[in-house]
């Protein structure tokens, strides 16, 4: 198993994801430079949070055109795992690897706080260590996380089981910190190998930080990779 | 294009650029001739209050600046203290008051940008930001606009940089109606041996320019910051700089990478007075000279004059001295990050700054005579008229039902929760934030070590108005106490001294007294001053702000395993009050917010008692005996206890040794702690051994705060109090 964390100019959660993968889970992990069209053999490609290219024009818009994204697209189309967190999710939307778009948060302000999430899918490579209905606590930190699509597309998204995480209150009731349609916090593509979410699992993967609800997302990927290797063997 | 004739240089021109007659004559004497227009601009910027500290320098020498942990005291871009395990912390606090009042969004944003550059020019990676904000009355003209702009400006810049904003303080007081304060703090870490000092050395070494192009923004901003506001201040808009956090983020990454190459001799950001102060400061510290070719400076627009290029305060620009022959290594790093690099000059041994434009010398100035020869003033100081009256003790009205009075106090922007502000700041990026905003001190973990770094910033301008010396001492003492509440040993102070016009003898007196208060407290509590900033001329239409010597302090925790909480953690834990009340209401929040009285002497500061209390708290924290610790400050015991209940929504049943008036007294050297029932005896014994008064006052539990104040009983639901407190600020902002 090898992980690659893409570094765009303006990425600022690249080190945080790297830390979780490399130091907490002891997985071989490398940084991938935006200007190099080379994934260095990564099995999992992570598009980290931050403000790629300053988020000028529109969050994720410029990154969606940089040299490495063609490789990321090829990797995704071949069934490789791609995880986009926060700005990385926005980039996946801009690339068209995931459907929909982001609007500014309802309330128009940057929001940094813990939110609660309901696990909707536990049969993905990214979520196998969770269980459906489980309530997670995770920090968000974004100004544009208000997920939007047309009602018809949203219906299709739900029908195709592409909603992975939904915002909720601590008891599992409905909540929507940023105004997202249908409380959507994270979605996958139809094949389930590309996953984007606004909350930051890498910021809640260590006891020291008082919350480890995010760690299972990364260990799910490791576990599924290990299982896949066993099958191959 | 043809250039207009150089403007005439005479006394009137010098005065227009901020020099006095005496300073102008001194300049001519140093040069042995009259300066030309460009030279006058350079000299007036170097000798501006903002760059030269001419009215403060003589007093600042009183600060203790040495200590076992200090690697770099004042005089560099930021101070450096030792953390242990081979790591050092680099930190500084700086004001951006004037620009923020003129244009709050850009003013505050570039304040954050400037302080971050001060940290990474030292070779350290910034890992935490804080800010201390003072707004006027929320109903004052433009105030909601200023709050909104400043908060968005700080957030947008810090968030994009990926440096968490983990603490600070925000207050509202009418004395800031016409001149708000925006003080930004940044802390970085580096390996001990990779600290860089901004000294231009090695004649023949090239000087490189990196980052944004130079434009006409912020020209003579340092001089603007050295003047008072008047009715025409709106006209100063062009002196405010415009920030680009994205460029700064790549500048940060590129500079840190460049430093690893070993090809950088010195690095300096272009902050106040731009290329002028950065080049003169580097050469002055290195005791060298330099040649600059202005036609090599990348520009945003054609037609900039040498005077404009030397005085522009365009943001996100750096000058660096490279090792001769290794420019290409650096050029490669910066270009990889998409940054523009130009060689704009070289270090010389002449001790002079020779500035050329298209081959022609446009300025030729001796460096050290100008930097070391900057004027130093001991301005006349006079105790303010009416001080005795101001310090007369006022009658303290009975609050009636203490719980109701407490609710009223928490229902103000002053004492209400500031979460509306700090939720707009990314405080969890970099995954080090162990204690974020809202507690006594913020704490970050230092990855790869067991260490924690704690930080806080404190000052009560009302105390300082009533008695600047005591008020300044209180700020230092409270900072030490806040660090102690998380178990941190203080390492150093960075001060940000915000005052009115120093040419006003009453302001000069306030400044002198404050500096003495800080010095005394720092000596007694053994915390050296390692960096800082002075901001004068904070007045509008002749009305000064309250003196505000903001104290930021950083400390270290040997490990993070036993980190106490701020608030109560578990039912049945015993609540212990450390320290005793002396019924002090001068400048208290109770008198100010509920009765509109700002009179009397501020609470006395007993530095020995503060020292013992802090040592006890640190010992108990390290020992693992502390479940929670929260200091008693603004709003007294009442507010401290309410805040202790909020963290986990836990109530307490308490019998306190104060009456309802004393419930809001602000006597210093006190803290509220909670410990497990088993730990009580040991804690009391340790307190007694250290001479800290300690009293068990009740237990944590239930969903109400139940009070018995010297026989007066009162009770309130924590949820009810919390709802008032948590919504007070957004309601006051009418959102």
């Amino acid at each position: 198993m090898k992980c690659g964390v893409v570094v765009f100019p303006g990425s600022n959660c690249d080190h945080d994801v790297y830390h979780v993968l490399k130091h907490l889970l002891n997985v071989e992990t490398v940084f991938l430079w935006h200007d190099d069209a080379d994934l260095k053999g990564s099995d999992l490609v992570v598009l980290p949070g931050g403000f790629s290219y300053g988020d000028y024009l529109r969050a994720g818009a410029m990154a969606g055109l940089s040299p490495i994204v063609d490789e990321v697209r090829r990797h995704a189309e071949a069934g490789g795992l791609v995880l986009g967190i926060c700005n990385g999710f926005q980039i996946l939307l801009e690339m068209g690897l995931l459907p929909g778009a982001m609007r500014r948060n309802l309330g128009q302000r940057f929001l940094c706080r813990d939110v609660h999430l309901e696990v909707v899918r536990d049969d993905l490579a990214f979520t196998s260590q969770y269980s459906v209905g489980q309530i997670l606590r995770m920090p968000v930190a974004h100004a544009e996380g208000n997920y939007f699509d047309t009602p018809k597309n949203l219906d299709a998204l739900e029908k195709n089981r592409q909603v992975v995480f939904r915002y909720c209150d601590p008891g599992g009731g409905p909540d929507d910190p940023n105004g997202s349609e249908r409380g959507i916090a994270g979605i996958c593509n139809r094949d389930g190998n590309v996953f984007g979410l606004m909350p930051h699992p890498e910021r809640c993967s260590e006891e020291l930080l008082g919350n480890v609800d995010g760690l299972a997302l990364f260990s799910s990927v490791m576990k599924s990779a290990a299982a896949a290797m066993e099958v191959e063997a | 294009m043809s250039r207009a004739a150089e403007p005439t240089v005479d006394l009137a021109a010098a005065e227009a650029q901020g020099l006095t007659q005496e300073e102008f004559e001194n300049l001519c004497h140093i040069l042995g001739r009259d300066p030309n227009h460009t030279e006058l601009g350079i000299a007036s910027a170097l000798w501006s209050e903002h760059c030269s500290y001419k009215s403060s320098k003589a007093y600042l020498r009183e600060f203790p600046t040495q200590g076992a942990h200090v690697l770099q005291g004042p005089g560099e871009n930021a101070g450096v203290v030792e953390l242990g395990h081979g790591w050092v912390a680099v930190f500084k606090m700086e004001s951006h008051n004037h620009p923020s009042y003129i244009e709050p969004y850009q003013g505050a944003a570039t304040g954050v940008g400037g302080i971050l550059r001060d940290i990474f020019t030292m070779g350290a990676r910034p890992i935490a930001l804080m800010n201390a904000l003072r707004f006027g009355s929320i109903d004052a003209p433009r105030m909601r606009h200023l709050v909104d702009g400043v908060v968005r400006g700080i957030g947008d810049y810090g968030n994009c940089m990926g440096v968490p904003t983990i603490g600070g303080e925000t207050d509202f007081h009418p004395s800031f109606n016409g001149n708000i304060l925006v003080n930004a703090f940044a802390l970085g870490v580096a390996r001990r041996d990779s600290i860089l000092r901004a000294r231009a050395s090695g004649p023949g070494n090239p000087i490189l320019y990196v980052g944004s192009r130079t434009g006409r923004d912020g020209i003579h901003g340092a001089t603007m910051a050295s003047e008072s506001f008047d009715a025409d201040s709106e006209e100063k808009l062009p002196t405010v700089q415009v920030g680009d956090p994205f460029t700064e983020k790549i500048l940060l990454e590129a500079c840190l990478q460049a430093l690893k190459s070993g090809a950088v001799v010195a690095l300096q950001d272009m902050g106040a007075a731009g290329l002028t102060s950065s080049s003169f400061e580097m050469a002055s510290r290195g005791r060298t000279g330099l040649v600059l070719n202005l036609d090599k400076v990348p520009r945003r627009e054609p037609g900039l004059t040498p005077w404009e290029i030397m005085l522009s305060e365009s943001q996100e620009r750096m000058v660096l001295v490279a090792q001769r022959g290794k420019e290409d290594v650096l050029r490669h790093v910066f270009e990889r990050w998409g940054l523009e690099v130009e060689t704009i000059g070289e270090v010389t041994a002449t001790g002079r700054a020779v500035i050329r434009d298209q081959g022609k010398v446009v300025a030729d100035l001796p460096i050290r005579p100008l930097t070391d020869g900057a004027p130093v003033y001991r301005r006349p100081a006079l105790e303010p008229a009416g001080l005795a009256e101001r310090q007369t003790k006022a009658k303290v009205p009975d609050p009636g039902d203490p719980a109701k009075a407490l609710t009223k106090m928490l229902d103000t922007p002053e004492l209400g929760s500031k979460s509306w502000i700090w939720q707009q700041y990314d405080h969890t990026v970099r995954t080090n934030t162990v204690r974020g905003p809202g507690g006594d001190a913020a704490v970050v973990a230092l990855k790869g070590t067991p260490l924690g770094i704690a930080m806080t910033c404190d000052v009560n301008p009302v105390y300082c108005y009533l008695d600047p010396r005591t008020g300044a001492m209180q700020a230092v003492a409270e900072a030490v106490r806040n660090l102690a509440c998380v178990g941190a040993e203080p390492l150093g102070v960075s001060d940000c001294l915000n005052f009115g016009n120093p040419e006003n003898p009453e302001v000069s007196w306030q400044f002198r007294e404050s500096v003495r208060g800080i010095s005394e407290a720092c000596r007694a509590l053994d915390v050296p001053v390692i960096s800082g900033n002075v901001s004068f001329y904070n007045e509008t239409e002749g009305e000064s702000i309250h003196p505000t010597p903001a104290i930021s302090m950083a400390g270290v925790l040997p490990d993070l395993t036993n980190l106490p909480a701020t608030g109560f953690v578990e039912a049945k834990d015993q609540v212990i009050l450390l320290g005793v009340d002396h019924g002090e209401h001068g400048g208290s929040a109770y008198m100010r917010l509920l009765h509109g009285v700002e009179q009397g002497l501020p609470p006395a500061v007993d530095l020995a008692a503060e020292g013992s209390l802090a040592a006890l708290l640190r010992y108990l924290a390290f020992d693992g005996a502390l479940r929670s610790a929260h200091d008693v400050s603004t709003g007294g015991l009442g507010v401290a206890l309410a805040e202790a209940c909020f963290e986990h929504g836990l109530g307490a049943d308490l019998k306190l040794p104060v009456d309802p008036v004393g419930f809001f007294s602000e006597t210093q050297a006190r803290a509220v702690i909670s410990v497990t029932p088993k730990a009580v005896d040991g804690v009391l014994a340790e307190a007694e051994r250290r001479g800290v008064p300690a009293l068990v006052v009740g237990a944590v539990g239930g969903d109400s705060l139940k009070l018995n104040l010297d026989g007066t009983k009162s009770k309130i639901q924590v949820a009810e109090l919390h709802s008032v407190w948590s919504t007070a600020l957004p309601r006051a902002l009418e959102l």
Side-chain angles (χ1 to χ4, degrees):
Chain A
M1 178 76 190
K2 184 172 179 180
C3 303
V5 178
V6 179
V7 182
F8 297 102
S11 292
N12 63 30
C13 307
D14 42 349
H15 286 89
D16 301 352
V17 179
Y18 182 89
H19 172 69
V20 171
L21 294 168
K22 174 98 172 183
H23 301 133
L24 302 181
L25 293 171
N26 297 309
V27 183
E28 184 186 3
T29 307
V30 291
F31 287 116
L32 305 172
W33 186 240
H34 70 109
D35 228 3
D36 301 338
D38 183 2
L39 302 183
K40 297 182 181 169
S42 303
D43 303 294
L44 167 70
V45 175
V46 183
L47 305 182
F51 290 73
S52 54
Y53 301 92
D55 275 353
Y56 293 144
L57 186 60
R58 199 169 59 241
M62 312 258 286
L65 300 170
S66 75
I68 199 157
V69 302
D70 288 335
E71 292 307 311
V72 176
R73 190 188 308 277
R74 247 188 293 270
H75 178 72
E77 281 164 3
L81 297 176
V82 179
L83 171 64
I85 302 169
C86 197
N87 192 228
F89 183 14
Q90 294 162 341
I91 294 168
L92 290 174
L93 297 174
E94 289 289 337
M95 287 172 68
L97 283 180
L98 293 174
M102 288 297 174
R103 295 182 298 190
R104 265 191 93 73
N105 293 347
L106 198 75
Q108 302 298 311
R109 289 173 193 281
F110 190 94
L111 181 69
C112 179
R113 67 166 169 90
D114 279 355
V115 297
H116 289 86
L117 303 171
E118 180 199 346
V119 177
V120 184
R121 292 273 308 259
D122 61 4
D123 56 343
L124 297 170
F126 303 98
T127 57
S128 62
Q129 302 293 297
Y130 296 118
S131 40
V132 167
Q134 190 181 345
I135 311 293
L136 311 175
R137 181 164 61 92
M138 259 186 220
V140 291
H142 60 248
E144 291 173 47
N146 180 352
Y147 183 77
F148 180 78
D149 209 334
T150 62
K152 195 174 139 224
N153 289 348
L154 289 167
D155 287 344
L157 197 71
E158 305 233 30
K159 186 167 158 282
N160 295 327
R161 302 179 64 236
Q162 286 176 257
V163 177
V164 182
F165 289 153
R166 229 189 272 279
Y167 297 112
C168 65
D169 68 19
D175 189 25
D176 204 347
N178 53 22
S180 290
E181 294 288 348
R182 305 187 190 184
I184 287 171
I187 57 171
C188 62
N189 62 351
R190 290 180 72 156
D191 291 335
N193 62 314
V194 177
F195 176 33
L197 76 168
M198 286 315 291
H200 286 276
E202 79 281 14
R203 297 189 189 183
C204 50
S205 291
E206 241 176 312
E207 282 294 351
L208 186 63
L209 304 177
N211 183 0
V212 291
D213 282 2
L215 189 62
L217 193 151
F218 300 101
S219 51
S220 293
V221 178
M222 302 316 136
K223 184 135 188 180
S224 71
M229 273 159 142
E230 248 168 61
V231 170
E232 274 171 34
Chain B
M1 71 185 272
S2 71
R3 216 163 247 166
E6 281 267 304
T8 329
V9 169
D10 53 19
L11 179 59
E15 284 175 341
Q17 294 200 41
L19 292 183
T20 65
Q21 179 176 353
E22 192 191 346
E23 289 166 352
F24 179 60
E25 284 165 4
N26 187 17
L27 173 63
C28 296
H29 175 73
I30 289 173
L31 297 186
R33 59 175 167 84
D34 282 2
N36 66 28
H37 175 62
T38 304
E39 291 169 336
L40 180 63
I42 292 170
S44 64
L46 288 174
W47 287 1
S48 70
E49 187 64 57
H50 195 83
C51 292
S52 74
Y53 292 83
K54 57 191 170 189
S55 303
S56 59
K57 206 168 5 186
Y59 300 104
L60 300 179
R61 289 186 190 125
E62 294 174 24
F63 285 151
T65 58
Q66 304 290 316
H69 303 287
V70 181
L71 291 179
Q72 176 66 56
E76 276 283 344
N77 283 307
V80 184
V81 290
E82 193 128 27
L83 291 167
H85 295 262
W87 289 91
V88 298
V90 177
F91 65 94
K92 188 180 179 183
M93 181 150 66
E94 201 167 66
S95 63
H96 230 218
N97 306 333
H98 289 78
S100 301
Y101 185 70
I102 298 172
E103 209 298 281
Y105 180 85
Q106 292 295 348
T110 53
V112 175
I115 197 68
L116 285 170
R117 284 195 299 282
D118 279 337
I119 303 308
F120 68 81
T121 50
M122 300 287 295
R125 174 174 284 280
I127 60 161
L129 287 163
M130 297 195 291
N131 48 72
L133 311 177
R134 314 270 158 202
F135 296 107
S137 296
I138 206 133
D139 291 319
R142 289 180 76 226
M143 204 49 66
R144 288 182 176 83
H145 161 73
L146 291 172
V147 173
D148 176 65
V150 165
V151 171
R152 278 190 304 109
I154 290 171
D156 282 359
Y157 209 104
N159 296 347
C160 182
M161 288 296 291
V163 180
T165 300
I166 59 169
E169 55 173 357
T170 301
D171 205 359
F172 299 85
H173 188 282
S175 116
F176 305 103
N177 280 0
N179 193 128
I180 62 170
L181 302 184
V182 173
N183 295 173
F185 166 98
L187 181 142
V189 291
R191 298 296 296 169
R192 193 184 200 276
D193 52 14
S194 62
I195 284 297
L196 191 73
R197 289 178 174 83
R199 289 175 195 163
S201 57
N205 281 334
I207 298 173
L208 271 54
Y209 172 114
V210 190
S212 292
R213 294 171 160 237
T214 297
R216 284 200 170 92
D217 51 336
I219 287 180
H220 245 322
T223 305
M224 178 267 289
S226 309
E227 290 169 6
S228 303
F229 282 143
D230 54 30
D232 300 328
S233 292
E234 290 278 319
E235 288 172 14
K236 299 191 186 217
L237 212 50
T239 55
V240 178
Q241 314 85 338
V242 177
D244 174 4
F246 171 63
T247 300
E248 175 125 324
K249 167 70 177 165
I250 54 179
L251 197 56
L252 159 70
E253 298 301 332
C255 284
L256 292 182
Q257 211 170 326
L259 293 178
K260 281 190 187 153
S261 71
V264 179
V265 175
L267 184 61
Q268 172 80 44
D269 79 304
M270 289 186 241
L275 189 53
T276 290
S277 80
S278 55
S279 57
F280 274 73
E281 277 173 27
M282 276 210 299
S284 175
R285 291 191 198 113
R287 294 173 187 269
T288 48
L290 48 86
V291 173
L292 294 180
N293 298 305
L294 295 187
D295 39 308
K296 300 281 187 207
V297 171
R299 306 144 199 228
R300 272 208 301 264
E301 54 199 306
L304 289 179
T305 66
W307 183 89
E308 287 171 321
I309 294 170
M310 288 305 290
L311 295 176
S312 162
E313 292 188 7
S314 291
Q315 297 289 290
E316 293 91 23
R317 301 180 302 157
M318 293 283 204
V319 274
L320 65 85
V321 177
Q323 281 190 17
R324 188 164 33 166
K326 291 195 180 160
E327 300 98 298
D328 285 348
V329 179
L330 297 176
R331 192 177 296 278
H332 175 74
V333 172
F334 289 114
E335 283 173 355
R336 180 176 143 87
W337 283 94
L339 289 165
E340 200 160 3
V341 200
E342 271 308 328
T343 303
I344 61 164
E346 70 174 48
V347 179
T348 65
T350 62
R352 298 186 73 84
V354 178
I355 319 288
R356 293 203 195 107
D357 187 34
Q358 290 158 18
K360 190 176 138 229
V361 173
V362 293
D364 184 351
L365 296 165
I367 292 169
R368 290 184 65 88
L370 282 183
T371 52
D372 296 357
V376 176
Y377 298 124
R378 275 188 181 272
R379 307 260 188 206
L382 198 67
E383 192 179 286
L387 184 70
E389 204 176 311
R390 199 185 290 170
Q391 293 179 338
T392 309
K393 200 167 178 173
K395 191 176 166 336
V396 186
D398 188 276
D401 180 2
K404 284 210 177 93
L406 177 59
T407 312
K408 260 172 99 176
M409 285 172 68
L410 295 174
D411 194 10
T412 57
E414 287 85 352
L415 292 177
S417 165
K418 303 301 186 294
S419 61
W420 179 84
I421 294 175
W422 52 254
Q423 284 189 349
Q424 296 182 54
Y425 304 150
D426 191 339
H427 50 269
T428 48
V429 66
R430 298 201 67 75
T431 61
N432 299 318
T433 309
V434 177
R435 284 274 183 283
D440 288 316
V443 180
V444 288
L446 183 60
K447 284 198 178 92
T449 76
L451 303 177
I453 306 168
M455 57 206 87
T456 177
C457 55
D458 300 283
V459 66
N460 184 325
V462 176
Y463 292 172
C464 297
Y465 167 71
L466 296 173
D467 178 359
R469 190 165 183 163
T470 306
M473 283 169 55
Q474 188 276 338
V476 175
E478 184 173 344
V480 169
R481 214 185 308 142
N482 280 335
L483 292 186
C485 282
V486 295
E489 182 92 40
L491 295 176
V493 159
S494 185
D495 60 303
C496 193
L497 309 177
N498 308 275
F499 287 80
N501 179 348
E503 296 160 52
N504 171 349
E506 296 189 354
V507 170
S508 186
W509 179 84
Q510 290 174 332
F511 182 76
R512 193 188 72 193
E513 290 296 299
S514 298
V515 168
R516 287 184 179 163
I518 293 171
S519 301
E520 198 178 331
C522 283
R523 280 206 173 82
L525 297 168
D526 198 18
V527 200
V529 176
I530 62 153
S531 60
N533 160 251
V534 179
S535 171
F536 281 131
Y537 300 95
N538 292 291
E539 63 168 36
T540 299
E541 307 279 342
E543 195 71 40
S544 281
I545 59 160
H546 274 7
T548 309
I551 297 296
S552 67
M553 195 179 284
V556 68
L557 290 88
D559 77 73
L560 291 163
T561 37
N562 293 325
L563 190 62
T566 303
F568 301 140
V569 181
E570 206 171 300
K572 297 203 172 70
D573 279 355
Q574 299 293 296
V575 180
I576 298 176
L577 188 58
L578 300 176
V580 281
D581 178 50
H582 298 306
E584 290 168 289
H585 278 280
S588 75
Y590 170 72
M591 291 297 282
R592 224 162 13 104
L593 301 176
L594 296 195
H595 301 289
V597 177
E598 200 170 290
Q599 199 181 316
L601 279 171
V605 176
D606 179 343
L607 293 169
E610 294 283 3
S612 309
L613 172 67
L616 172 67
L617 287 167
R618 287 193 298 264
Y619 174 85
L620 295 177
F622 186 67
D623 196 42
L626 281 187
R627 291 292 279 258
S628 76
H630 186 26
D631 91 309
V632 177
S633 58
T634 312
L637 257 182
V639 169
L641 289 169
E643 288 172 346
C645 290
F646 292 154
E647 194 170 338
H648 294 99
L650 274 172
D653 192 347
L654 308 171
K655 188 173 185 303
L656 297 164
V658 290
D659 63 11
V661 167
F663 192 46
F664 299 109
S665 151
E666 296 184 7
T667 295
Q668 301 293 298
R670 290 187 297 162
V672 175
I673 62 173
S674 67
V675 305
T676 61
K678 263 198 324 213
V680 171
D681 291 346
V683 169
L684 293 179
E686 188 60 33
E688 190 178 357
R689 199 175 72 74
R690 292 168 181 268
V692 177
L695 182 68
V696 179
V697 293
V700 177
D703 57 6
S704 301
L705 180 59
K706 293 181 194 159
L707 301 165
N708 179 341
L709 305 174
D710 227 7
T712 305
K713 292 191 177 168
S714 185
K715 179 181 157 181
I716 188 162
Q717 294 264 327
V718 172
E720 185 188 334
L721 207 52
H722 181 272
S723 132
V724 167
W725 171 78
S726 60
T727 58
L729 178 58
R731 274 188 285 115
L733 287 167
E734 294 173 354
L735 289 161

